[in-house]
Amino acid sequence: MFDTKILGTDEDSIAYAAKLLSQGEVVGMPTETVYGLAANAFDEAAVRKIFAAKGRPADNPLIVHISDISQLEGLVDRIPPLAVKCAEKFWAGPLTMIMPKSEKIPMVTSGGLDTVGIRMPSHKVARALISACGFPIAAPSANLSGSPSPTTAQHVLNDMHGRIPAIIDGGACGVGVESTVISFEGEDGIRLLRPGFISAEDLMEITPNVLIDKGVLEKLGENVKVRSPGMKYKHYAPKADVTIIDSSLEAFREYVKTHADNDTTLMVFTDSDCEGLDIPHICYGANDEEQAKELFDVLRELDIIGAKKVYARCPNKDGVGLAVYNRLLRAAGFQVVKL
Ligand code: AMP
Ligand code: MG
C-alpha cells in the first residue's frame, strides 16, 4: 500500500516523478487526452505494475509515449511512409500509430503483439516528464479497468489511491477522450481502430483511403479477430443501465415522457433539452468538443448520484462526435433505441 502523493507541475515535482519512474515505480500523469498511468516502457517489472494497479487483462496492449520524434526509430522496425506524414501533421498530439515493434519493446508492454502503438503527447507536463526520464513511457488510461477514463487528478486518486506512489496534478484534460488509434494498410491505407480528437475527416487529409474498423461502432462477436484489443472489453460503464436514444430532440422528449419512471436520470446536451420535463438530468455539452471533454466526468457523476436508469441523447457520429459516440456506446453496453 502506498500513501499516494499528489504532486504539482513544478520542476522539482517532475524531477521527483521521473526519479520514481527510473526506480521502476508507476506514476499518474496528465496528458491532453486523459490521465495516464506511466512506467518505463523498457522495464518489464515496472510495466507489470501498471497491469496490476489497473486490473488490466495482460493481452490489452499499452501505448508508448515519446517526447521527441528522434525516439521513434529505436522503438519500431519499420516506419510506414504514411506514418511520417501523420507525424508531421498531427504530432505532438492525440494520435497513436500502430507499427511493427522493435526488440527493445518487451512483449508485456505490447500485450503479446508484434506491433506497438506510439504517441507523442502535446501536454507540456507529459513531455517534460518523458524528457526528464530519458526513456519512453508506457501509459494506459489511469482508471481501474472497466471504469471511465480519468480526466482529473481526483478521478485518478479515486481509482488508484494506495495503489501507486504519486499522481501529478495538471488540472483537467483539454480533450477528455483517449487518443485516436490507427494502423496502416498497404501503401496508402489508414485503418481507424479507435476514434478520438483527430477525426476520420482529419485523417482523410493525409489519404482518401481511411477505413473505419468494424469494432468502432459494432459489438464484435466472441470469435472475431479484434485488431484493437481494448475495444473488446467492457468499458466506461457506470452502474446505471444506460440507453442511447438516437432521435430528434422532439422524439427524445416524447420517448422519455412515456418511458421514464422515478429511477430515471436524463443525459442531455444542455438544460434547454429538458424544458417542460420534470425528470432529473445531467448535461454533457452543447457540441462535440465539449461532450468529449465532459463525457467521462459525467459517467462518473452518474455513479456518485446513484443513477439507476439513464436515457442519453445521441452524439453526432462524425468528426469528434464519433469518438464520443464510440465511448458512450460502450458505456451503454450497445443499447440504442433508434426513433
Ligand atoms: P488505453 O491506453 O487504456 O487507452 O488503451 C490503449 C488501447 O490502444 C488498447 O486498448 C488498444 O485498443 C489500442 N492499442 C494499443 N497498442 C496496440 C497495438 N499494438 N495494436 C492494436 N491496438 C493497440
Ligand atoms: Mg483505457
Side-chain angles (χ1 to χ4, degrees), residues 177 196-199 201 288-289 292 316 318-325:
V177 290
F197 194 77
I198 307 293
S199 65
E201 292 82 353
D288 298 350
E289 284 77 15
N316 289 325
D318 55 9
V320 179
L322 183 67
V324 180
Y325 184 57

Side-chain angles (χ1 to χ4, degrees), residues 305-318:
I305 64 174
K308 292 197 180 68
K309 193 169 127 181
V310 176
Y311 292 126
R313 287 208 66 197
C314 187
N316 289 325
K317 294 173 195 157
D318 55 9

Side-chain angles (χ1 to χ4, degrees), residues 56 60-61 63 98 113 115-117 139-141 178 194 227-230:
R56 184 175 175 103
N60 195 356
I63 291 170
I98 311 288
L113 299 172
T115 55
V116 62
S141 51
E178 308 88 338
R194 178 173 75 181
R227 286 191 167 87
S228 179

Side-chain angles (χ1 to χ4, degrees), residues 101-118:
K101 79 171 194 68
S102 78
E103 282 190 348
K104 281 179 112 180
I105 303 278
M107 278 292 182
V108 250
T109 303
S110 68
L113 299 172
D114 53 14
T115 55
V116 62
I118 313 264

